[in-house]
Amino acid sequence: MCGIVGYVGQRAAEDVIIDGLRRLEYRGYDSAGIALFNEQELFVEKHAGRLSVLEGYLSANPHRDARLGIGHTRWATHGAPNDVNAHPHTGCTPRFAVVHNGIIENYNELRRELMARGHRFVTETDTEVLPHLLEEVYAGDLATAVFEVVAKLRGAYALAVVTSEDPNTVIAYRQDSPLIIGLGQGENFLASDIPALLPYTRQTVVLDDGDLAVLRSSGVSFYREGKEIEKDIFTVTWDEVAAEKAGFDHFMLKEIHEQPKALRDTLSGRILEQGTNLAEEIGLTSDMIKGINRVVVVACGTAYHAGLVGKTLIERLARIHVEVDYASEFRYRQPVLNPNDLVIIISQSGETADTLAALREAKRQGCTVVAITNVVGSSVSREGQHVLHTWAGPEIAVASTKAYTTQLAALTLMAIELGLGRKTLKVTRAQELLRGLREIPLQVGEIIAQAEKIKAVAEHVAKSEHVFFIGRGLDFNVALEGALKLKEISYIHAEAYAAGELKHGTLALITAGTPVICLFTQAELQEKMVSNVEVVRARGGYTVSISSCCADVTGTISDVEIRLPETDPLLAPMLSVVPLQLLAYYAAVTRGADVDKPRNLAKSVTVE
Ligand code: F6R
């Protein structure tokens, strides 16, 4: 979950590393540190707090002659986020400096053994075993020493290592945590994610598990199991501006506004006259589609909420039974799968540890696995057998927005393709849905244009400590996502309820003025939904309806009504979630919360 950056070349290493860490702050931001080498000494500076704290120390005490170094932003796992536990870590002597992302599972055992041999530990981290192990095995070649050390480790980790014994070399090693190498002219880079590299190079190499890279200014060599190997170079096509705020106050707002484009990009080239070309794109044969016995969707958080919508779409259009599971639950309950199950893995980052483990379990049990991910070259994208990329572009804000809507677009295409392939969906109905789908990007833009109205609702909601979201069917699935958005960035307690369930207990919490956000996009459920909202109003609830149907009633039973453009009820989630994203955003801004970096959270969850 932490961010790693490394550099060797002709520039002041501290500039490149701090700049890269800033672009990776979404991965963790409770402390930051840097190790710089200037051919005489290895200098380490690390501090609790945001990157700006470290920057402050560096500007007072610069090491601009250092041309090599590594840096880290932390999201604490072992040990509190304080100066001592911040990375880089050194051993008994300042000969080695190590930054690490992931968890070393057997660190306790290693630590005990090292202490018994006289090593002194100063931190509570799992990482600190690494420089101590390096002190024991180093015999003149850092790459060999790193190979020897990793052979003793269990867990998931990405490492960058430097030593005062070799002023020209940075070593990178990957095991189950992402690490990318950037190739330059007379300089080379490493980072946990591509945005950190973009100002410097587009030529990248994605390390695989077990790969070690030796970075020098003159070039990078790659090794696996001690032997040199060739790696493919991957040219990044999205530009640097795409990874920056482009004039918006926050990445989240920018990413909400990017949804029309993200949706267009995700749909583009995939819609045909009479269906979609998805099966061909991802390599699903017609026999595979016909032979599916059950679909199991596995994901976490927002991606899980997208999976819930996917369940309804696939069940309605392809008439296949679908189960949706939290990845963190799936992997430990010895799931019963069979080779005729289609497992759909959804992950924006493609690096979520539980989701990746679920993918591996499904493959192990012989299922066909379709991976829906936004990050090309991510672990999920590389390990998925049939990969369906969403083209949302980099999502930097911790709260997911454009990734969710593009996941819904991908799942809609998938449901249509499965329905057509199994002949449960008529071509004319598929065409109707595809026509509707083509309209969605424009309609999302129309909703964003109502931002001021949503902002006024948000200012009211921001005064409350409890907010409820209700809906039926697909609206309930979207309500879950709306509640998650509000809690994670505004810290307001929010709950989503299937509207019909309220009266079975939760209604007791509705008192005068309690905001209840009511979703009305499923015309066939309109009457039932209206009765549920009436019950809320009778208790004095402040009702906000988000509606694309039922125009004759929603206005009369709501304190505020936000109208959505008309669309097919099956496509409505891509629209109805947008006001909920904006509501959460403006409520968080009104409460002065740090929207892009909510407390306790990080973007890429690479721990279990
Ligand atoms: C919430 C959010 C998280 C992620 C979850 C899965 O806004 O972003 O709930 O959806 O951590 O992440 P990915 O999709 O990267 O696997």
Side-chain angles (χ1 to χ4, degrees):
M1 187 92 92
C2 311
I4 294 179
V5 175
Y7 176 75
V8 52
Q10 315 309 324
R11 307 178 201 232
E14 64 179 56
D15 293 348
V16 179
I17 292 168
I18 295 292
D19 180 47
L21 290 179
R22 196 175 301 113
R23 291 163 206 274
L24 293 185
E25 249 192 312
Y26 67 90
R27 297 183 66 86
Y29 35 80
D30 60 38
S31 46
I34 196 165
L36 296 164
F37 194 50
N38 66 1
E39 303 205 10
Q40 277 126 40
E41 59 162 345
L42 193 53
F43 158 82
V44 174
E45 189 75 59
K46 49 190 199 162
H47 294 280
R50 293 282 161 92
L51 186 61
S52 51
V53 179
L54 174 67
E55 273 183 280
Y57 278 90
L58 283 177
S59 52
N61 186 16
H63 284 255
R64 304 194 55 78
D65 51 343
R67 299 283 174 262
L68 172 149
I70 52 178
H72 189 269
T73 52
R74 180 168 186 243
W75 184 82
T77 56
H78 294 66
N82 56 30
D83 289 0
V84 176
N85 289 333
H87 299 215
H89 292 292
T90 49
C92 297
T93 55
R95 278 165 74 210
F96 301 94
V98 180
V99 292
H100 162 223
N101 172 28
I103 290 178
I104 296 163
E105 287 169 2
N106 57 335
Y107 83 100
N108 252 329
E109 177 186 324
L110 292 168
R111 187 178 168 118
R112 266 197 307 275
E113 289 166 11
L114 284 158
M115 286 171 81
R117 293 197 291 271
H119 289 264
R120 282 169 289 107
F121 279 74
V122 292
T123 81
E124 301 159 275
T125 67
D126 50 343
T127 310
E128 198 188 352
V129 297
L130 300 172
H132 290 285
L133 287 168
L134 284 165
E135 285 172 346
E136 291 200 337
V137 301
Y138 183 80
D141 180 59
L142 189 56
T144 309
V146 170
F147 268 127
E148 277 187 50
V149 167
V150 297
K152 300 178 196 292
L153 308 181
R154 279 199 315 273
Y157 43 87
L159 310 175
V161 184
V162 291
T163 173
S164 56
E165 308 272 339
D166 182 354
N168 303 312
T169 306
V170 180
I171 300 287
Y173 185 87
R174 174 198 159 121
Q175 182 62 50
D176 288 321
S177 277
L179 210 47
I180 320 284
I181 305 299
L183 305 173
Q185 300 287 331
E187 56 182 353
N188 290 296
F189 310 80
L190 68 90
S192 308
D193 202 354
I194 290 171
L197 304 174
L198 282 183
Y200 310 101
T201 181
R202 290 168 177 283
Q203 302 298 102
T204 64
V205 174
V206 180
L207 293 190
D208 285 298
D209 290 343
D211 284 354
L212 179 144
V214 179
L215 287 84
R216 300 202 170 91
S217 54
S218 54
V220 183
S221 16
F222 299 94
Y223 299 84
R224 191 176 310 148
E225 291 172 356
K227 298 204 179 61
E228 188 155 5
I229 53 167
E230 292 287 317
K231 297 285 293 177
D232 291 338
I233 296 178
F234 166 64
T235 306
V236 180
T237 49
W238 32 275
D239 64 40
E240 198 188 326
V241 186
E244 299 199 338
K245 271 191 231 159
F248 287 94
D249 287 344
H250 297 96
F251 279 112
M252 182 179 178
L253 188 61
K254 172 178 174 258
E255 288 160 11
I256 290 172
H257 278 78
E258 282 173 346
Q259 288 180 110
K261 178 175 186 312
L263 283 160
R264 228 172 265 124
D265 290 349
T266 299
L267 296 170
S268 143
R270 288 173 166 159
I271 299 181
L272 306 175
E273 187 72 19
Q274 305 229 321
T276 90
N277 61 359
L278 221 59
E280 192 188 333
E281 178 189 333
I282 68 176
L284 285 182
T285 65
S286 127
D287 282 349
M288 282 162 106
I289 291 177
K290 285 186 197 128
I292 298 168
N293 166 53
R294 180 179 67 148
V295 172
V296 180
V297 183
V298 192
C300 300
T302 288
Y304 170 84
H305 293 154
L308 294 175
V309 173
K311 170 183 166 78
T312 301
L313 297 177
I314 294 171
E315 288 190 341
R316 289 268 187 96
L317 302 179
R319 309 306 300 158
I320 312 173
H321 171 61
V322 182
E323 282 175 25
V324 189
D325 220 332
Y326 288 116
S328 54
E329 291 294 312
F330 177 84
R331 63 183 298 195
Y332 292 114
R333 69 174 167 72
Q334 299 176 7
V336 180
L337 297 170
N338 76 57
N340 291 335
D341 289 338
L342 174 73
V343 175
I344 301 180
I345 297 288
I346 311 175
S347 175
Q348 185 286 127
S349 62
E351 301 294 350
T352 302
D354 286 317
T355 310
L356 191 56
L359 182 154
R360 289 175 181 158
E361 176 62 19
K363 275 169 73 176
R364 195 185 65 77
Q365 293 206 33
C367 304
T368 303
V369 178
V370 169
I372 300 180
T373 181
N374 191 40
V375 180
V376 178
S378 62
S379 304
V380 162
S381 141
R382 285 176 305 122
E383 294 189 30
Q385 296 159 317
H386 306 277
V387 182
L388 174 50
H389 283 115
T390 51
W391 297 116
E395 194 179 62
I396 307 294
V398 166
S400 186
T401 53
K402 59 180 181 168
Y404 174 77
T405 42
T406 54
Q407 283 158 359
L408 296 188
L411 286 161
T412 310
L413 291 172
M414 183 85 187
I416 293 173
E417 185 74 353
L418 294 180
L420 289 170
R422 293 168 73 90
K423 307 222 179 315
T424 50
L425 175 66
K426 290 204 176 81
V427 172
T428 47
R429 173 71 177 125
Q431 286 173 321
E432 196 176 281
L433 285 167
L434 293 168
R435 265 198 305 280
L437 209 42
R438 279 204 186 90
E439 298 293 313
I440 293 287
L442 204 73
Q443 293 176 322
V444 168
E446 289 169 24
I447 299 167
I448 294 171
Q450 296 189 56
E452 281 306 310
K453 188 169 179 186
I454 299 164
K455 190 172 171 187
V457 177
E459 282 163 5
H460 184 93
V461 164
K463 297 184 200 123
S464 308
E465 285 312 314
H466 307 279
V467 176
F468 293 87
F469 291 73
I470 60 171
R472 285 175 167 259
L474 283 170
D475 284 341
F476 169 48
N477 301 152
V478 175
L480 287 164
E481 174 59 8
L484 175 63
K485 283 294 84 95
L486 188 65
K487 21 186 182 203
E488 71 180 317
I489 58 168
S490 74
Y491 318 140
I492 297 172
H493 167 234
E495 284 196 55
Y497 266 84
E501 268 296 299
L502 263 193
K503 56 185 174 294
H504 297 290
T506 311
L507 196 58
L509 295 176
I510 310 289
T511 53
T514 307
V516 182
I517 317 297
C518 316
L519 295 168
F520 280 94
T521 70
Q522 305 296 304
E524 62 185 27
L525 299 168
Q526 156 180 356
E527 283 177 13
K528 304 272 179 251
M529 184 65 194
V530 169
S531 324
N532 300 145
V533 178
E534 289 287 15
V535 166
V536 168
R537 278 173 66 77
R539 271 81 190 161
Y542 170 77
T543 54
V544 178
S545 69
I546 313 260
S547 49
S548 61
C549 70
C550 332
D552 45 338
V553 281
T554 47
T556 60
I557 60 169
S558 318
D559 291 293
V560 183
E561 185 185 27
I562 292 160
R563 290 291 308 167
L564 303 173
E566 270 178 38
T567 187
D568 191 288
L570 292 186
L571 307 180
M574 282 176 277
L575 301 185
S576 56
V577 74
V578 178
L580 305 187
Q581 297 167 342
L582 287 164
L583 179 75
Y585 172 77
Y586 287 117
V589 171
T590 306
R591 288 167 71 105
D594 189 346
V595 174
D596 285 335
K597 292 172 190 146
R599 71 180 176 215
N600 305 342
L601 301 178
K603 183 70 181 162
S604 188
V605 187
T606 51
V607 295
E608 289 171 26

